[in-house]
Amino acid sequence: MKHLMQTLLPLALIAAIAANAQAPEIRFDSAPNALQLPANIYLGEVGGVATNSRGDIFVYTRTGHPTITIGTARPFAHGGSRLFEFDRNGKYVREIGKDSYGFMFAAQVRVDPSDNIWVVDQMTNMVMKFDPQYHVAMLLGRKAENVAVPARTQQGNGAGQPTDLFNRPTDVAWDAAGNIFVADGLGNARIVKFDKDGKFVKSWGKKGTANGEFANVRSIAVDPQGNVYAADGGNKRVQVFDNDGNFKTAFTNVGNAQALCMTKGSSPVLYVSNSNPPDDIDRDGEIYKMSLDGTMTGKFGRAGKVLKEFGTVNAIDCRNENTLYVAEIGNLRVQKLVLH
Amino acid sequence: MKRVLTSSAALMMLAAAPAFPQQKATIEHVPGIEFSSVKNFLKLPPGEYLGESVAVATNSKGHVFVYHRSANTRLFEFDQNGNFIKEIGAGYYGFEFAHSVRVDKDDNIWTVDEGTNMVTKFSPDGKVLMVLGRRPPAVQGAVAFPGPQNGNAPAQKYIFCRPTDVGWDPQGNIFVSDGYCNNRVVKYDKNGRFLAQAGSEKPGKALGEFNLPHGMQVDGQGNVWVADRSNIRYQVLDNNLKPIREITNLGVGWTVCISAGPHQYAFLSNSNPNGNQPGSWDITGEIYKAELDGTVLGRFGHPGKLAPGFQVVHMMDCRNPNEIVVGEIESWRVQKLILQPTSTKAAGAAQ
């Protein structure tokens, strides 16, 4: 225990210092026409964007018009989100999972080291793994059979059941051993760990402000040592846990942390978006670049509607440290950013 | 000033009376303008239909855009002869319940949707360039019916509540009328940043307050014309949204159109009400043509199920003041009207 304290204290100190530091501005451009959409395809609020090892781009977007049927025994619901693939040049390739049972309200898409495509849906409460041939390879969570109309009010402390039933999950990540971490998320406020075969291991966190508690978990990332970084935007911090969910430290200088991305390789960096709320473009919106000890090394962007401005960034892809894709809720688009 | 006071007094009396869904215009001796309706103007491909054709606009080439309520709300483009060209925005996130479409000076197409609470700017070829407002997130489930009966939430800078119309001043600033459950006009800069608003979430009767601002356009001086429907009037605001005057003698202010060119005219519609209550056809349904100073030049049109009758004119395009395109709610129809040019002789004053 004493040993643990010794390692924790300097980390906390670093975070506190960084909070006062003026991070340098990173110059950047937004590539025009990053995604070329066919005439009959429109993006809605973009929940997630991710690239695979070939540079193909996957976009999980809320396309609207979820349907609740009437004249049935219970109100059933379907539709409302779609998953698209573009090639590395932004040319539209295909739709994946068309009319899937699990697609209603896009939260996130991520690609794992084996190029599997993982989709997180905030309304069906499912995490879906598609293999590189687009077959469904694994499912976590289960969509409710029917929907409550009018909507049921939120209940409970956000800790969730010790199972893989989610409540508005937001993100998924993996450690080097293939263990799966799900951010669960907005209804619950916890992180759930599964082994690589999808067997529930444990979960931690509930609604609150103490270390290890969350206002919400909006995004997660895992470093090469297996530490888990959780964007706790409502508490204006990123929390860091070890692989078993023990709290290690928090970066408190990051604003409304909503999207995280950690670069690949042995010495990764972390991008954190201080996303503006969807109802206001006159505050926040910048993206921070950080080292894993919490030092802020740069920042760029601001909230707004034109290119190089951001409308509630919900996802960042950083396979290439200086070529980022960002998914925006507010502007119904994906921007390709080139950092200088 | 006296005129405004007189009008205000009349308005108070109106407000004290039961709320009429229809209102006879009090202006008198307005000459009729001869007009004809082009037969079968819009030619739809087999199997395609218009729904409630609440919104219509033309671009600089004369192409006609119709934003209408079908099973899904849809946006169609026709050429200047009414031949169908294409659909724009099929399945788009911002489409649910059409209210307005307008075309700006660069031929961008703007839609206002009172189902999604979104205003969308499309490029001339139909790509999304900018959105204002936000669709209520589906994950929050069925939302409570918005409006006074559930208490109007304070109006927010970037969130609408059943917005109704959009316009621009010569500098490119964006104006949005908002709407059925907010009661305000909002001004944004050309990049979508909030600048000012007139009115609030609450309905009101004073100048600069609104009760269902239902249609809106901006003239060449940057003044903002608002069809203040449930107040049974129009208001004209300056570019900073300070009220200049009201017009209370042209019936219910349903919608307004300002023509293009150096000499602009205003077209103002006292549309017959939805539902066609007995007697309503006799006292409503006409459109007025006026100078921007309020001089009324003439009137045309009358309710009717069959063209050239009007069935609740919801929107007008008047790029050419002698060729008016009207979108109607209850006939699911768009008509192109050829008007006899008016003489410059004043017929009466809008008050």
Side-chain angles (χ1 to χ4, degrees):
Chain A
M1 187 62 194
K2 188 170 173 218
H3 177 74
L4 186 66
M5 288 297 287
Q6 279 169 345
T7 45
L8 279 181
L9 271 175
L11 273 174
L13 201 62
I14 287 164
I17 291 167
N20 297 322
Q22 198 64 34
E25 202 69 33
I26 299 173
R27 291 187 305 111
F28 74 107
D29 286 305
S30 177
N33 300 316
L35 299 181
Q36 296 109 48
L37 292 157
N40 58 343
I41 300 277
Y42 288 83
L43 299 184
E45 295 185 340
V46 183
V49 60
T51 59
N52 67 11
S53 62
R54 291 197 306 270
D56 301 324
I57 306 157
F58 300 89
V59 175
Y60 191 38
T61 177
R62 303 164 189 168
T63 44
H65 317 290
T67 302
I68 296 177
T69 54
I70 58 172
T72 48
R74 294 171 287 164
F76 302 97
H78 65 273
S81 285
R82 298 169 77 179
L83 175 62
F84 298 125
E85 180 181 343
F86 300 81
D87 72 15
R88 58 185 304 121
N89 299 315
K91 186 169 173 291
Y92 178 84
V93 178
R94 62 170 62 80
E95 178 171 6
I96 301 165
K98 183 169 162 44
D99 296 329
S100 166
Y101 186 68
F103 287 8
M104 286 192 73
F105 196 77
Q108 198 58 259
V109 59
R110 299 275 194 179
V111 176
D112 71 19
S114 307
D115 278 349
N116 299 297
I117 307 143
W118 295 66
V119 178
V120 183
D121 192 283
Q122 214 186 97
M123 196 164 179
T124 64
N125 294 319
M126 295 190 69
V127 177
M128 295 153 273
K129 174 186 179 182
F130 293 86
D131 69 22
Q133 288 74 45
Y134 317 112
H135 301 120
V136 174
M138 186 192 295
L139 298 170
L140 301 173
R142 188 187 180 217
K143 178 183 174 179
E145 292 184 1
N146 59 295
V147 295
V149 178
R152 212 167 271 141
T153 52
Q154 203 69 59
Q155 289 175 334
N157 65 4
Q161 304 172 57
T163 69
D164 66 348
L165 290 180
F166 306 123
N167 189 340
R168 301 184 64 185
T170 54
D171 204 357
V172 62
W174 316 270
D175 64 18
N179 292 305
I180 306 158
F181 297 85
V182 175
D184 177 37
L186 291 171
N188 289 324
R190 61 172 186 160
I191 293 170
V192 192
K193 178 181 179 180
F194 303 89
D195 71 15
K196 64 178 171 47
D197 299 320
K199 184 168 184 283
F200 176 87
V201 176
K202 68 186 301 183
S203 68
W204 69 88
K206 63 183 172 71
K207 293 266 184 210
T209 57
N211 291 338
E213 297 178 345
F214 306 98
N216 37 50
V217 190
R218 289 188 163 277
S219 186
I220 53 172
V222 180
D223 72 16
Q225 285 71 49
N227 297 309
V228 180
Y229 298 69
D232 182 16
N235 286 329
K236 299 200 176 303
R237 63 184 178 186
V238 172
Q239 295 193 60
V240 186
F241 303 91
D242 72 15
N243 197 261
D244 296 315
N246 298 303
F247 176 84
K248 294 182 74 170
T249 187
F251 310 150
T252 57
N253 51 338
V254 292
N256 177 47
Q258 178 159 338
L260 298 181
C261 187
M262 192 174 292
T263 56
K264 317 290 178 206
S266 53
S267 55
V269 301
L270 185 68
Y271 288 100
V272 183
S273 172
N274 173 25
S275 302
N276 64 299
D279 60 3
D280 195 352
I281 59 169
D282 296 327
R283 51 181 283 205
D284 306 327
E286 70 277 18
I287 295 174
Y288 301 120
K289 186 176 184 178
M290 307 180 80
S291 57
L292 296 196
D293 63 6
T295 307
M296 202 171 279
T297 57
K299 65 175 181 182
F300 58 95
R302 65 163 186 166
K305 293 182 182 293
V306 300
L307 288 181
K308 296 183 69 177
E309 295 181 336
F310 305 134
T312 312
V313 169
N314 198 61
I316 304 170
D317 177 89
C318 60
R319 184 174 291 274
N320 179 324
E321 185 175 334
N322 293 311
T323 305
L324 308 183
Y325 291 90
V326 296
E328 295 169 82
I329 300 282
N331 294 328
L332 314 188
R333 70 182 174 198
V334 169
Q335 288 189 72
K336 180 181 185 178
L337 309 178
V338 179
L339 275 51
H340 304 301
Chain B
M1 190 60 196
K2 185 164 178 236
R3 197 174 74 180
V4 173
L5 284 173
T6 313
S7 306
S8 298
L11 186 74
M12 293 300 285
M13 284 167 62
L14 285 176
F20 289 111
Q22 62 203 58
Q23 192 71 34
K24 188 178 192 310
T26 55
I27 192 168
E28 291 181 326
H29 311 301
V30 178
I33 299 173
E34 293 292 319
F35 77 102
S36 60
S37 175
V38 176
K39 279 204 175 5
N40 302 318
F41 173 49
L42 295 185
K43 291 161 272 291
L44 285 155
E48 293 288 5
Y49 295 84
L50 296 180
E52 291 192 335
S53 302
V54 293
V56 62
T58 62
N59 70 8
S60 63
K61 290 186 288 209
H63 289 197
V64 181
F65 298 87
V66 181
Y67 189 42
H68 61 101
R69 300 167 181 167
S70 284
N72 295 311
T73 268
R74 302 171 80 179
L75 175 61
F76 288 173
E77 180 178 358
F78 300 83
D79 70 14
Q80 61 275 24
N81 299 314
N83 298 306
F84 180 85
I85 297 178
K86 65 174 189 284
E87 178 172 7
I88 295 169
Y92 167 59
Y93 193 72
F95 287 2
E96 192 67 57
F97 204 64
H99 202 271
S100 172
V101 63
R102 302 278 188 180
V103 175
D104 69 20
K105 64 179 169 53
D106 301 315
D107 278 348
N108 299 302
I109 308 145
W110 296 64
T111 55
V112 180
D113 193 288
E114 61 143 315
T116 62
N117 291 339
M118 287 172 66
V119 177
T120 305
K121 175 186 183 180
F122 292 89
S123 65
D125 62 348
K127 303 290 185 201
V128 174
L129 296 179
M130 187 193 293
V131 295
L132 300 171
R134 190 189 186 201
R135 184 181 178 132
V139 71
Q140 289 172 5
V143 296
F145 197 83
Q149 66 273 33
N150 288 320
N152 282 21
Q156 295 175 267
K157 287 187 289 186
Y158 295 104
I159 300 289
F160 303 124
C161 195
R162 299 182 63 191
T164 54
D165 212 346
V166 64
W168 316 271
D169 66 16
Q171 289 73 44
N173 294 305
I174 305 160
F175 297 80
V176 176
S177 53
D178 174 38
Y180 282 88
C181 40
N182 285 325
N183 289 279
R184 62 174 180 167
V185 173
V186 197
K187 179 182 180 181
Y188 300 93
D189 75 10
K190 65 181 168 56
N191 294 326
R193 285 196 188 272
F194 177 92
L195 294 175
Q197 75 170 18
S200 70
E201 69 279 5
K202 294 189 182 65
K205 298 185 182 69
L207 287 178
E209 297 180 341
F210 307 94
N211 191 348
L212 178 46
H214 186 260
M216 182 203 62
Q217 282 297 269
V218 185
D219 68 24
Q221 279 74 55
N223 294 328
V224 183
W225 293 62
V226 184
D228 189 9
R229 182 170 138 189
S230 292
N231 277 334
I232 312 175
R233 67 176 175 186
Y234 300 85
Q235 289 192 65
V236 185
L237 315 174
D238 73 14
N239 194 255
N240 298 313
L241 304 182
K242 299 286 176 280
I244 299 172
R245 62 193 167 97
E246 62 178 349
I247 299 168
T248 61
N249 60 348
L250 299 182
V252 178
W254 267 78
T255 185
V256 58
C257 185
I258 310 286
S259 65
H263 187 144
Q264 294 187 298
Y265 298 95
F267 291 85
L268 308 139
S269 180
N270 180 27
S271 307
N272 62 304
N274 283 311
N276 288 307
Q277 294 93 331
S280 63
W281 286 20
D282 300 328
I283 60 169
T284 61
E286 75 282 12
I287 295 171
Y288 295 91
K289 180 182 180 182
E291 302 279 6
L292 293 193
D293 67 4
T295 306
V296 176
L297 299 169
R299 56 174 280 180
F300 59 95
H302 189 273
K305 291 285 182 188
L306 307 175
F310 297 158
Q311 270 305 285
V312 195
V313 170
H314 191 267
M315 199 160 163
M316 303 173 278
D317 176 90
C318 60
R319 183 178 291 271
N320 178 338
N322 298 315
E323 292 185 7
I324 311 298
V325 186
V326 297
E328 301 161 78
I329 300 181
E330 292 202 10
S331 57
W332 302 2
R333 178 174 62 201
V334 169
Q335 292 189 63
K336 181 173 183 176
L337 312 174
I338 309 299
L339 270 58
Q340 201 78 258
T342 45
S343 72
T344 52
K345 191 173 166 235
Q351 292 179 352

